[in-house]
Amino acid sequence: MKALFINGSPRKNWNTHKMLESAMKGASEAGAETELIHLYDYNFKGCISCFACKVKNSKTNGLCAFKDPLTPVLEKALNSDVVVMGSPVYFSFPTGMLRSFMERFIFPVMTYSNDEKGKRIGLYRNPLCL
């Protein structure tokens, strides 16, 4: 089992990071292969609304087609069994960096039907069901 932990905090080694490390330790003890990603180590944007991820029967259907330093992280997330995201809460929301990651990770596979693409990360009809 692969578990990917995403730190959406700009502060390494502070509370969010410590909580993610604690969760990683538990996952490792349960036999999972774990990895921690610090989003603030990457220079990337949120979704650019190109909709290449929605073109049926294309090689980018269900995948973010925009190539930048986040691309390998998105590939790791899609190939993981578990993705755990941590963030401090600013103005009732996760950090902008984590929200940008979520746009690029979730929107391409979000579906309004019960097809296989949506089942990959457990999304059915409502993106807020995470």
Side-chain angles (χ1 to χ4, degrees):
M1 173 187 265
K2 291 183 181 180
L4 183 66
F5 293 79
I6 305 290
N7 183 5
S9 174
R11 299 178 179 185
K12 287 184 184 178
N13 301 314
W14 285 54
N15 293 336
T16 302
H17 182 194
K18 289 175 184 176
M19 289 191 305
L20 287 168
E21 280 187 328
S22 179
M24 281 179 59
K25 182 180 176 189
S28 292
E29 289 172 357
E33 178 185 327
T34 63
E35 182 177 357
L36 176 66
I37 302 283
H38 295 282
L39 289 181
Y40 280 82
D41 287 347
Y42 297 85
N43 184 16
F44 69 95
K45 302 176 186 184
C47 178
I48 62 167
S49 198
C50 68
F51 281 83
C53 63
K54 302 296 183 193
V55 178
K56 292 182 180 179
N57 302 317
S58 74
K59 66 180 182 177
T60 59
N61 184 242
L63 303 169
C64 181
F66 187 72
K67 302 298 180 207
D68 66 2
L70 189 65
T71 302
V73 176
L74 293 170
E75 289 172 3
K76 286 179 185 183
L78 284 171
N79 292 318
S80 296
D81 298 300
V82 175
V83 177
V84 177
M85 296 178 248
S87 175
V89 176
Y90 298 150
F91 301 108
S92 302
F93 297 101
T95 60
M97 196 69 101
L98 184 60
R99 288 179 54 97
S100 292
F101 168 78
M102 291 169 65
E103 286 178 2
R104 301 267 306 274
F105 177 49
I106 297 171
F107 183 68
V109 296
M110 190 179 77
T111 180
Y112 297 100
S113 64
N114 289 335
D115 67 3
E116 289 302 313
K117 186 172 57 162
K119 289 179 184 177
R120 280 200 315 229
I121 65 166
L123 289 177
Y124 308 100
R125 299 191 187 274
N126 185 351
L128 300 176
C129 67
L130 297 175

